[in-house]
Amino acid sequence: MNAVNSENEKNLQADSWRFWQLINHAANEDSAYHRFIIGNLQTLNKEGIYEELKQFYDKWYSANIMKLVVYSHLPMDELEDLVASKFSLIKNKNVVVSAF
């Protein structure tokens, strides 16, 4: 929770983040753009937060909806081996994401 709070505190000072928050707030309330984006210690300090986060992770943490960009000076073969060793254990749960 402290890491999320620290990220939120950092973002509050960035003009780009404030602009995104303005767009988020002005969006149609039924739109996915209008939803809550990040928390702080006050919003995350609630009973059952660990269980809720675990449920979210179990449902949505799936290889088929992730993207990865890697930039390196390493040769491609070596880079592919490195990426495979770090990310191949992420399960593909065949999650379907709704378009918004």
Side-chain angles (χ1 to χ4, degrees):
M1 289 193 319
N2 287 327
V4 172
N5 187 65
S6 292
E7 183 177 354
N8 183 57
E9 292 291 323
K10 171 192 62 85
N11 289 339
L12 292 175
Q13 305 306 314
D15 288 339
S16 60
W17 181 256
R18 283 186 254 172
F19 179 72
W20 177 251
Q21 288 294 97
L22 180 63
I23 291 171
N24 177 276
H25 183 72
N28 182 316
E29 290 184 16
D30 296 329
S31 168
Y33 281 113
H34 192 75
R35 67 182 176 204
F36 187 73
I37 295 176
I38 192 169
N40 58 36
L41 285 179
Q42 182 181 2
T43 61
L44 294 173
N45 189 17
K46 65 178 197 171
E47 189 72 32
I49 190 70
Y50 175 81
E51 291 78 15
E52 286 184 47
L53 290 172
K54 179 82 169 81
Q55 286 177 350
F56 181 89
Y57 172 86
D58 290 342
K59 179 178 181 179
W60 294 106
Y61 198 81
S62 179
N64 73 298
I65 60 172
M66 295 180 179
K67 306 290 185 244
L68 176 68
V69 176
V70 180
Y71 180 79
S72 175
H73 67 281
L74 297 174
M76 185 58 77
D77 291 341
E78 191 175 335
L79 189 57
E80 286 176 348
D81 290 343
L82 177 65
V83 167
S85 73
K86 301 295 182 191
F87 295 97
S88 63
L89 295 178
I90 298 173
K91 294 178 184 174
N92 179 1
K93 300 175 188 174
N94 295 310
V95 170
V96 177
V97 179
S98 301
F100 58 92

